[in-house]
Amino acid sequence: MSTKTNQTEVLLEENDQTTEVSPSEKKSTFEKKALLVLSVVFAAVLIGAWGYAMRVQQGVASNSVTTHADPGALIEIERMRGIASSQLDNSRAYFLLGSQNIYDKQKKEKETLAEALTAFDKQHNLPGVSEVVKRLQDIQNKNQEFFDQAIEHRDKKTESRIVGQFYQARSNPLRSQFNEAFDDMAHLHQVQIDKAQEEIREAAAQAEIQIPFGMTWLSGSLVFIFISMGFLVVRLLRKQSFQLAQQKRLYDEAKKAVQDRDETLFAISHDLQDSLNMISSTAERMATTPQGLDIVESGELMKSTVVTIEGLIKDIRDQKNTEMHGLTLRMDQLSVDNVLDSARLQMAPLAKQHDVRLQIDSVNPPVLAFYDNERVLRVLANLIGNAIKFSPKGEKVVVKVRSDQKYVNISVIDSGPGIPANQLPTIFENFWQAKKTADKGAGLGLAIVKTIVEAHGGTVQIQSQTGRGTTVTFSLPRRRPVGASLKKPNVIVKSNHAPEWQ
């Protein structure tokens, strides 16, 4: 068993070494490359989608950020407006009431307003803001001048009411100028805020268009890639399944080849053993009996046995050559009686050995056929030999000939055990043999019979009934093959199939 397994492995290894890259394997390589390309495209799509999303996000963010249009600036403007108005009111109240606390408060408000204007100019540097800040600083300077003049009048012991009226008359226009300047500053920021809000709305609207478009493009690309990859994966799986099936088939064929070889060796050993046993027994009989008729008969039997062995070897060689290259025939137009007489001489000793009568009917009138004499003689030897082996002692094997316009039909009839009907379809397979008669031969003969006859363009038919014997009939062509010459040398036909006839 281990030897057979090793032989199978050797055949498989040889098959692998000599197998070239098949088209299916080339397609499989192409599909693997296509999968790799799709994987790269998939990665590129993801990177592109990420970059596209970042660009959209940056666009929205850049439009949302209003560096120079801060709504907090409006609050700061109103705060400074309040400080400016409060310092004017507190300055007037100081001249009317003369309170030191009010003086300190208005002084602090002036400082706070100056600092606030400077900081606002740095933080909210919109176009035009610096000019407005300078206007406010100039107004504040004028206010300080009026305040200083009122202080001089107060130092001269001028009545407080008169000083207060003097400052109020001078500062009232400044209040209006403060408000106008702060209004201009607020307007500049409001215009910028409105512009920024419009840009934000436009960016949002653009994002509403870009994002669905990008998502549609990304989804479509991913769907296409996944469908393509799925299609290629399915094809690869199918290819892999096919390749596994092919490997299994090749493995099974290798196993069958090893099995066929083993069966061939078994067939050879079995059939040769029978023939060698016959030669051995004949030689013993020749050594132990007086000289006389037995010597002649024994010699004929030994000669017939050697011919049988040679025929067996040629049968095996022809069968294998036919499977690999076709069968080469050397065909002549000959009388059928020629091959029948040769078969009678060759098989008579075997029939006598088995105590079976061999009857070969002569053809009257003689009939001609186109055939390879050596091969057809082996066909008859196989059929007659099987019939003799399977016939009971004392029975008769008959060879009959009939002809029509196209063929000569030769029948070999025995009285053996017959063949069951369910085994007839496989009877021409190599090494077929009925179970009940398996000990009488391995069954290669019928396979080579069919091969030789069909190479001639004829047919083989079997009629058999269990317990009533078997009739095997084969046909030979009466018309010469197309293109064959009747002159010497012999007609040679190399055939894998039946030739055409005229």
Side-chain angles (χ1 to χ4, degrees):
M1 183 68 182
S2 61
T3 302
K4 187 173 182 178
T5 303
N6 293 335
Q7 293 166 345
T8 304
E9 293 175 352
V10 169
L11 285 175
L12 289 174
E13 290 175 358
E14 292 176 353
N15 184 67
D16 291 338
Q17 293 172 355
T18 57
T19 301
E20 297 181 354
V21 179
S22 64
S24 62
E25 291 176 343
K26 292 181 180 178
K27 291 181 180 179
S28 177
T29 303
F30 169 77
E31 288 159 354
K32 291 178 181 178
K33 292 181 179 178
L35 272 178
L36 179 60
V37 171
L38 284 176
S39 300
V40 174
V41 172
F42 175 70
V45 167
L46 290 182
I47 294 173
W50 180 81
Y52 180 81
M54 290 299 101
R55 288 195 299 273
V56 172
Q57 188 270 340
Q58 290 173 0
V60 173
S62 63
N63 289 323
S64 299
V65 175
T66 57
T67 305
H68 306 295
D70 185 1
L74 297 177
I75 299 174
E76 181 65 16
I77 291 171
E78 294 304 318
R79 189 180 75 85
M80 292 188 296
R81 187 197 298 273
I83 293 173
S85 178
S86 177
Q87 61 133 1
L88 292 175
D89 291 339
N90 286 329
S91 295
R92 180 174 177 273
Y94 167 71
F95 290 118
L96 293 175
L97 300 176
S99 171
Q100 184 64 34
N101 289 333
I102 294 176
Y103 177 81
D104 293 338
K105 186 176 181 180
Q106 65 85 28
K107 183 179 180 181
K108 180 65 175 174
E109 288 174 343
K110 289 178 181 178
E111 294 174 355
T112 301
L113 179 59
E115 293 174 356
L117 287 173
T118 302
F120 190 88
D121 188 24
K122 292 180 180 179
Q123 184 176 0
H124 305 284
N125 56 346
L126 288 176
V129 170
S130 296
E131 288 78 2
V132 176
V133 169
K134 189 175 183 303
R135 282 169 55 195
L136 289 170
Q137 290 173 344
D138 291 342
I139 295 171
Q140 184 69 355
N141 291 333
K142 289 182 180 180
N143 177 48
Q144 186 62 39
E145 291 176 4
F146 294 149
F147 185 82
D148 292 340
Q149 291 175 6
I151 289 294
E152 291 177 359
H153 290 302
R154 186 175 182 275
D155 291 340
K156 293 178 180 180
K157 306 299 183 179
T158 304
E159 185 179 355
S160 298
R161 182 177 61 82
I162 295 174
V163 175
Q165 289 176 349
F166 168 79
Y167 179 76
Q168 184 176 2
R170 297 291 189 276
S171 63
N172 279 341
L174 296 180
R175 188 186 298 272
S176 297
Q177 292 176 10
F178 268 124
N179 288 331
E180 288 177 1
F182 283 122
D183 288 342
D184 290 343
M185 186 180 290
H187 178 71
L188 291 173
H189 280 275
Q190 189 61 50
V191 170
Q192 192 65 24
I193 290 173
D194 292 342
K195 181 180 178 182
Q197 289 177 345
E198 181 63 25
E199 291 176 352
I200 291 173
R201 284 193 293 270
E202 291 178 358
Q206 187 67 22
E208 290 180 356
I209 297 173
Q210 290 178 345
I211 292 175
F213 172 78
M215 291 301 297
T216 301
W217 176 83
L218 176 62
S219 300
S221 299
L222 292 179
V223 168
F224 171 77
I225 291 173
F226 284 130
I227 290 177
S228 300
M229 294 179 73
F231 176 74
L232 291 174
V233 168
V234 170
R235 284 180 61 89
L236 281 174
L237 291 176
R238 292 180 62 185
K239 296 289 184 185
Q240 184 179 17
S241 176
F242 175 77
Q243 289 174 356
L244 291 175
Q246 287 288 89
Q247 291 176 0
K248 184 179 182 303
R249 180 182 62 81
L250 293 174
Y251 179 77
D252 292 341
E253 288 179 356
K255 286 179 63 177
K256 186 177 184 302
V258 173
Q259 182 179 358
D260 289 346
R261 184 193 62 189
D262 293 343
E263 289 178 348
T264 301
L265 294 175
F266 173 77
I268 294 172
S269 63
H270 192 288
D271 288 347
L272 289 180
Q273 186 63 47
D274 287 346
S275 299
L276 292 174
N277 289 339
M278 187 175 296
I279 292 175
S280 177
S281 62
T282 303
E284 290 179 0
R285 188 175 65 177
M286 291 175 64
T288 57
T289 57
Q291 294 183 355
L293 183 60
D294 285 343
I295 295 295
V296 177
E297 293 178 351
S298 298
E300 291 295 331
L301 181 58
M302 292 177 67
K303 181 179 178 181
S304 175
T305 304
V306 171
V307 172
T308 301
I309 294 174
E310 291 176 346
L312 175 62
I313 294 173
K314 291 179 180 179
D315 285 347
I316 295 173
R317 185 174 61 245
D318 279 353
Q319 187 67 11
K320 294 306 175 182
N321 284 338
T322 302
E323 293 173 359
M324 293 186 295
H325 310 295
L327 184 62
T328 300
L329 300 178
R330 297 182 178 275
M331 301 177 67
D332 285 306
Q333 187 179 30
L334 302 171
S335 172
V336 175
D337 281 339
N338 291 348
V339 72
L340 293 179
D341 291 340
S342 298
R344 181 185 295 107
L345 292 174
Q346 181 176 330
M347 304 309 299
L350 181 64
K352 186 174 182 180
Q353 178 72 20
H354 286 77
D355 195 15
V356 172
R357 290 178 294 161
L358 177 59
Q359 175 182 328
I360 300 179
D361 296 340
S362 299
V363 182
N364 191 16
V367 61
L368 300 178
F370 280 91
Y371 61 91
D372 182 322
N373 185 74
E374 179 186 354
R375 277 358 186 299
V376 173
L377 177 59
R378 279 166 39 207
V379 167
L380 284 170
N382 274 305
L383 295 179
I384 295 172
N386 285 339
I388 292 172
K389 292 178 183 179
F390 299 149
S391 295
K393 291 184 178 182
E395 294 294 333
K396 179 170 60 175
V397 172
V398 179
V399 179
K400 293 184 177 182
V401 179
R402 60 182 178 83
S403 63
D404 54 32
Q405 293 181 351
K406 292 184 178 181
Y407 296 99
V408 175
N409 300 294
I410 304 174
S411 299
V412 179
I413 307 167
D414 66 52
S415 302
I419 303 169
N422 61 349
Q423 295 181 4
L424 289 176
T426 60
I427 194 171
F428 290 108
E429 294 180 0
N430 284 353
F431 312 114
W432 178 92
Q433 189 56 273
K435 292 182 179 180
K436 293 182 179 180
T437 58
D439 59 336
K440 297 183 179 181
L444 177 64
L446 291 178
I448 194 62
V449 163
K450 184 173 185 292
T451 298
I452 293 175
V453 171
E454 289 185 350
H456 281 78
T459 59
V460 182
Q461 296 179 350
I462 293 185
Q463 296 177 343
S464 183
Q465 292 183 349
T466 304
R468 296 187 178 181
T470 301
T471 299
V472 182
T473 302
F474 68 93
S475 58
L476 298 174
R478 297 189 64 182
R479 299 180 181 180
R480 66 182 178 89
V482 174
S485 174
L486 295 181
K487 300 178 181 179
K488 300 297 181 180
N490 296 340
V491 178
I492 300 176
V493 179
K494 184 174 183 180
S495 173
N496 285 323
H497 305 285
E500 297 179 1
W501 310 103
Q502 286 185 345

